[in-house]
Amino acid sequence: MAARRAVGTARRAGDQAAQDEAHIAVDRAKHALGERGPVWWSDGAPDLNRHTVRNSPYAAWYAALHPPSKDEEPPA
């Protein structure tokens, strides 16, 4: 969080160099936490991060949660 606060501080100060440095620190922290970089787990499940829910195995579940209104067309 210190790196994220540094981004805001640099942005408010208008210091582009400090902002760039803070963004690099945020990226390093995210890599260290496993939020970025190669996947560290291998459970064999497909990675569905880049799919909309209606194009995934969860489509029926999601449709049941959010039934279309009278004005909406159902998803294709």
Side-chain angles (χ1 to χ4, degrees), residues 28-53:
R28 284 189 191 132
K30 286 184 174 273
H31 273 89
L33 292 168
E35 295 178 16
R36 291 193 181 152
V39 216
W40 49 267
W41 64 92
S42 58
D43 61 2
D47 181 9
L48 299 172
N49 269 351
R50 301 283 184 219
H51 294 78
T52 60
V53 72

Side-chain angles (χ1 to χ4, degrees), residues 2-3 7 15 20 23 30-31 34-35 37 42 44 58 60 68 72:
V7 170
D15 186 344
D20 292 344
H23 279 295
K30 286 184 174 273
H31 273 89
E35 295 178 16
S42 58
Y58 304 105
E72 271 184 285

Side-chain angles (χ1 to χ4, degrees), residues 6 10-11 14-24:
R11 185 174 289 146
D15 186 344
Q16 187 61 47
Q19 191 174 338
D20 292 344
E21 199 172 306
H23 279 295
I24 290 168

